[in-house]
Amino acid sequence: MLQITDEMRKELNQLRDTIYSDLTALAFMSKSGGRLHWYYASGSRSNRYRLISFKIGHGIAGMAVRLGRTVTVSALLSGSIRLRQECALMLAEQLHSAVAIPFSSTGDLPNGVLLLGNRDVRTFTESDVAEATQVAQRLSQLCAYPLTP
Amino acid sequence: MNEPSNPLLQHAFGESTDKLLNDLEIYIPESPFLHALRNSLHQLSNLKFALDTSSIVALTDHRGIIQYVNDKFCEISQYSREELIGQDHRLINSGYHTSAFMKNLWTTIRSGKVWQGEIRNRAKDNSYYWVNTTIVPFMDEEGEPYQYLAIRNEVTKLKKVEAELQSMMTQVMQIQEEERKRFSRELHDGIGQSLFSLIIQLDSQLAEQPSATLENLRSQVTDIIKDVRGLAWELRPSVLDDLGVVPAIRTYIENFCSHYGIEVHFQCTLRKRVDIRKEIAIYRIVQEALTNVAKYADVAEAYVDVEDQNEMIQVTIRDEGIGFSGKSQGEGVGLFSMEERARGVGGFMSITSAPDEGTSIQLTIPV
């Protein structure tokens, strides 16, 4: 189990403010090959996210982890709707636009993902994504230490 | 019986128009009135001609006794005009429609309202034909109907295609199920078993000579086995065939909860196995309905009830979410395929929903 620290919360809350998104969330895979769980969501409407887990390759966040690169869902991107419908967090939080940025706490294959989401149709600019990527980088380090087998 | 109730009906349907047109000048002196009358009669005659060529027309008195039929009626029903006049429509009744259906028809037209619908009739050679029917009642001064005009168009072909489409849908879904089952078995027993034998070989290697690389390989293979099993389960849970619909739904709900974070309250009084086709239909409908709940309802809870009512199984999938109005149905085929599935096993499905009042799906399957 990953322990969410105040520092991680602060990173996510701050990022949400800086890029004006409705929600920022962190999912992590505690055990290799297992499922990813949402550990913290800043700006969430309910605590449902805590119950949600997903497999690699499923939904926007699962796809980002599988591909090892940033994945975007937007009403303006045809074909991305499926990634939204497969993502239980996007459904539960009624998000319509999102960007998922994968990270790795081990330096190996990705085992975590940072999600930025909005409840309306918006585009995340390059600088938004760059900002978030830096946060993902810091989160990967924060996740690396408390990782227990 | 052959005596018409109203002597006017003898010529009721413009039979005499042509004769009237010919005799017009004899009775009425040349005047603008005559001109207008001739025009009007002419138009009426044209209209009747057009109607007769396009549709099946019958006129009955208030009791439903046939007073007039056009050629098309005789052609399609294969009865001669003499055989039809003076009879009522029971002569061509195919016995297909329920008495409630016929009662509704009569109540509608007796109260002066137009009735529209599709009726299956029987021709003289006992073959069936479908007609799209409009019955217009004509009312007297007291507000009682004194005659009914029935205009019909044959839609037998349409009905046949409709039925074919239905059976095709059922077949396609059956084939889809079979394919899923085959793939699921293949994944589980084929690839799954091969991977498992790989694990055994790795284990024996590891027993002889412990190695971190081999350990790592082993754990990767274990992950792949998990994925393959998961995929096989998603395609078609073997528990459905082995233990029945209730354990299958239970497992589905468990996975559903951890996937969507929606708590599902499951109640069940079904303790027996039923026909596998019905079990599949129930399982797939519950699955589809819950997926819809997750996608659209915006709720944290949902309810599934499976009730054994001896001759029927009643399944309800309910949420208290945002609901939808009849018009705003999406582009998906979900609801349509659920209805088809229910129909395919002789069951019936209905949906009640209103904005902000949640959605409830009721499924009744006879056993």
Side-chain angles (χ1 to χ4, degrees), chain A residues 33 45 48 51-53 85 88, chain B residues 258-262 295 298-299:
Chain A
R45 301 192 310 165
R48 255 176 74 192
L51 300 170
I52 298 173
S53 66
Q85 298 217 319
Chain B
S258 72
H259 185 253
Y260 289 108
I262 296 173
K295 278 188 193 161
D298 192 16
V299 287

Side-chain angles (χ1 to χ4, degrees), chain A residues 105-127:
Chain A
S105 68
T106 56
D108 200 8
L109 292 169
N111 58 355
V113 61
L114 168 67
L115 185 106
L116 332 168
N118 272 63
R119 299 197 171 91
D120 51 10
V121 177
R122 87 166 258 188
T123 43
F124 291 91
T125 64
E126 264 177 51
S127 72

Side-chain angles (χ1 to χ4, degrees), chain B residues 352-363:
Chain B
T352 37
S353 185
D356 291 322
E357 282 173 30
T359 304
S360 171
I361 288 179
Q362 289 93 20
L363 169 70

Side-chain angles (χ1 to χ4, degrees), chain A residues 31-35 45 48 51-55 58 66 84-89 91-92 94, chain B residues 219 223 226-227 230-231 234 255 257-263 294-300 322:
Chain A
K31 202 171 71 178
S32 80
R35 299 171 74 87
R45 301 192 310 165
R48 255 176 74 192
L51 300 170
I52 298 173
S53 66
F54 58 94
K55 277 198 312 198
H58 256 232
R66 171 173 284 170
R84 176 184 186 264
Q85 298 217 319
E86 279 179 359
C87 178
L89 183 72
L91 294 172
Q94 298 282 299
Chain B
S219 89
D223 291 346
K226 227 190 275 173
D227 276 356
L231 210 56
E234 259 173 53
N255 290 342
C257 292
S258 72
H259 185 253
Y260 289 108
I262 296 173
E263 199 186 340
K295 278 188 193 161
Y296 310 112
D298 192 16
V299 287
I322 56 174

Side-chain angles (χ1 to χ4, degrees), chain B residues 126-346:
Chain B
N126 281 332
S127 65
Y128 296 116
Y129 61 94
W130 279 90
V131 277
N132 189 336
T133 305
T134 306
I135 305 177
V136 187
F138 293 100
M139 314 300 271
D140 60 18
E141 297 85 45
E142 274 115 62
E144 291 294 321
Y146 67 92
Q147 67 177 29
Y148 300 112
L149 178 64
I151 301 168
R152 301 176 172 91
N153 285 294
E154 198 194 348
V155 288
T156 311
K157 216 169 170 179
L158 190 74
K159 277 286 175 185
K160 210 175 131 208
V161 173
E162 222 175 79
E164 275 170 8
L165 197 66
Q166 167 106 45
S167 95
M168 180 76 102
M169 272 294 287
T170 314
Q171 271 180 39
V172 165
M173 275 188 291
Q174 218 162 322
I175 291 166
Q176 186 198 36
E177 270 315 320
E178 284 306 312
E179 283 290 281
R180 283 179 172 210
K181 192 173 165 182
R182 198 169 67 83
F183 277 119
S184 178
R185 281 266 150 86
E186 204 57 40
L187 278 173
H188 195 273
D189 302 346
I191 300 174
Q193 284 307 308
S194 310
L195 287 168
F196 198 70
S197 95
L198 209 58
I199 288 277
I200 295 170
Q201 287 174 53
L202 280 168
D203 277 348
S204 71
Q205 283 281 319
L206 279 164
E208 278 173 27
Q209 197 178 14
S211 138
T213 326
L214 277 190
E215 276 294 352
N216 190 20
L217 214 58
R218 188 191 189 279
S219 89
Q220 278 186 39
V221 176
T222 320
D223 291 346
I224 297 172
I225 291 181
K226 227 190 275 173
D227 276 356
V228 167
R229 288 211 174 134
L231 210 56
W233 201 91
E234 259 173 53
L235 277 170
R236 163 96 166 223
S238 53
V239 64
L240 186 57
D241 298 282
D242 301 341
L243 299 175
V245 66
V246 176
I249 291 178
R250 238 181 254 288
T251 321
Y252 179 77
I253 286 175
E254 267 171 44
N255 290 342
F256 180 85
C257 292
S258 72
H259 185 253
Y260 289 108
I262 296 173
E263 199 186 340
V264 180
H265 304 276
F266 182 45
Q267 278 188 333
C268 176
T269 59
L270 181 67
R271 303 268 178 272
K272 60 180 188 226
R273 292 292 307 260
V274 292
D275 175 22
I276 186 69
R277 281 176 48 238
K278 289 173 184 169
E279 290 194 321
I280 292 166
I282 294 172
Y283 179 79
R284 293 293 182 207
I285 289 170
V286 169
Q287 191 179 21
E288 183 75 34
L290 283 176
T291 310
N292 284 342
V293 170
K295 278 188 193 161
Y296 310 112
D298 192 16
V299 287
E301 284 175 272
Y303 304 85
V304 175
D305 290 341
V306 178
E307 204 185 323
D308 184 3
Q309 299 175 337
N310 294 321
E311 263 128 62
M312 302 275 185
I313 295 173
Q314 182 81 36
V315 184
T316 313
I317 305 108
R318 188 168 60 81
D319 69 71
E320 287 158 7
I322 56 174
F324 59 86
S325 64
K327 286 170 203 141
S328 64
Q329 282 183 20
E331 72 284 357
V333 292
L335 293 182
F336 178 69
S337 80
M338 283 154 81
E339 279 166 1
E340 286 301 318
R341 264 185 205 285
R343 255 202 292 264
V345 292

